[in-house]
Each structure stands twice: as structure tokens, then as C-alpha cells.
Amino acid sequence: MNEFLSDAEFLDGPRNKGQIRADAWKYSEQMEELAELAVSRPEIFERMNSTARMSLGYYQSDKTYAAAYGRDVTKEGK
């Protein structure tokens, strides 16, 4: 079903999900600190609740899209 929705044409043309995610991404100091914790102290990060870990995954994925679409993903590029 998802593949049908992904290929659907809209009134104003097909959707570019990557661009939409890139445009919606916002720098978050808290998420950046959480990403640093995941690298520096993985044993603590693994004990955190799954919601925080999933949120970080979405944040990092959207950040990757933002960088791929030419956005500045550093703190200064807010």
C-alpha cells in the first residue's frame, strides 16, 4: 500500500519526501547532545527509553536529508 501512496500524483505534482523532510528539519541542541552521548557512552544510551532513541534516529535521518539538499546543518546554520 505504501508503494502506491509513494507513487501517487497530487494536484500540484509528485511529492519529494526527501525535500519535505529536509525543509522540516530544525537544529536541536538536545538531540545533538543525545547523539554525542550515543557515541561517547553507548552503555548509557542503550539503557535510555526507546522513545528518546527513536527520536534521535528520526532527527539524524532528517538531518542527513537536510545536508543532502544543501542546508547548513551546523549550529550556526539554524
Side-chain angles (χ1 to χ4, degrees):
M1 174 99 168
N2 190 27
E3 65 190 46
F4 297 115
L5 293 175
S6 295
D7 294 336
E9 293 283 332
F10 294 88
L11 293 176
D12 58 348
R15 297 286 188 247
N16 183 339
K17 290 182 182 181
Q19 183 69 58
I20 292 168
R21 289 178 68 180
D23 292 343
W25 179 81
K26 291 185 175 102
Y27 182 87
S28 169
E29 190 70 38
Q30 291 175 325
M31 286 292 150
E32 294 295 331
E33 290 173 3
L34 191 56
E36 188 177 315
L37 178 69
V39 173
S40 65
R41 304 288 305 273
E43 69 281 357
I44 293 174
F45 180 75
E46 289 300 318
R47 290 192 313 225
M48 294 183 71
N49 74 35
S50 59
T51 304
R53 291 184 284 139
M54 285 177 31
S55 295
L56 177 61
Y58 283 116
Y59 175 82
Q60 290 178 320
S61 178
D62 290 350
K63 182 178 178 180
T64 301
Y65 276 109
Y69 281 90
R71 291 199 43 206
D72 181 5
V73 294
T74 63
K75 185 175 184 178
E76 292 78 30
K78 292 183 188 179

